[in-house]
Amino acid sequence: MRRSHGVALRRRRFLLPVAAAAALLLSPLAYAAPAEADPAPATCTDVSVPVTLDLLLSAHVHAQLCVPTGPHHTAIQVLIPGATYNSYYWDFPYQPATYSYVRAANEAGYPTLNIDRVGTGQSTKEPSLVLTAVAQAAVVHQVIQKLRAGGVGGTAFSKVILVGHSLGSGVTEVEASTYHDVDGVVLTGATHHVSVTDLTQAVLTAAYPAALDPKFGLSYDVGYITTIPGKRASVFYNASDTDPAVVAVDEANKDVVSLTEMAGAVLQLTGPATLGIKVPVLLVQGGQDFLFCSGLIIHSDCSSSTALYQQESGYFSPAAQLHVYVLPGAGHDLNLERNAADYRQTVMSWANQFVPDH
């Protein structure tokens, strides 16, 4: 199996104190390139995974499983998108060499399972009230158990890295702290200090019932919301770090979110449950995230990786070996900003170090 050969990464143990964390996190980790001159391509398959919700409702999760055709890591990365997104967030259909996290992970030798949360994409649509962050976490847990048993795509994966974005990070926190069935956690676009004023502003001025949107019509009940046309740029992006064509593609592909799921995820993101995560954690945040890094009352200090580490470290146990990386200039959707490659390199190098193949 492919492993990192970065000398600096092998020798450094990255302790919890801020001084050690700062040396690691003020800039992206050294990227561990695969041994091959050209990364092995991945074979991708659409899969449908049967699951049940809290109320024993049957459902299915649609996902795309991508496995590098050559030697690859033993850990699979399971990707959970945020509110009003489905799996396209991680495998963006515009300039994928620049904006596809899936492609970057596969090229680094990591298999990926890119999920549509229940209620979004091609997964089962359920009444909005039954979709909560806890219910979605239980669904992800079932998917992980099937991955480990070889029940998804016919290959059993011995290690799992759970990667979330925004609301998906809230679901990731619930799953990892409740079921303890993953080997590493990556949280993106989410901290414990949500900007109350800016989040409230976004919900009141940029969102409305999905039933009112021309894209969705009456296919969703009133408990589902989406973004008002033309509002994604101001909420999810930093204009100076964004290709306008990305925003246009994002607008065309937008999805929905259940109000109950979103409310539960916000409560999770601001609570202490992350103390229950007992595996290595990497937290990645855009330096200009409107929903977290500004505001009049409470907000995250995204001025540097060290500053955010100091603010977040008390919410995690020593077992999490917390590392923090702030992507300078990036908005909330840091995976879709011009400099997204920097944070993806950081994630892959962190995974090489903290979720090794052996």
Side-chain angles (χ1 to χ4, degrees), residues 133-134 137 166-178 187 190-192 194 261-277 315:
V134 171
S166 192
L167 177 146
S169 288
V171 173
T172 294
E173 290 177 5
V174 176
E175 203 286 336
S177 62
T178 302
L187 306 172
T191 72
H192 285 83
V194 178
E261 181 184 2
M262 187 167 70
V266 171
L267 289 174
Q268 172 62 33
L269 291 172
T270 57
T274 45
L275 288 168
I277 300 176
Y315 294 96

Side-chain angles (χ1 to χ4, degrees), residues 240-259:
S240 64
D241 194 27
T242 303
D243 180 346
V246 166
V247 180
V249 173
D250 188 10
E251 286 277 3
N253 287 276
K254 70 179 183 179
D255 211 306
V256 302
V257 64
S258 160
L259 280 168

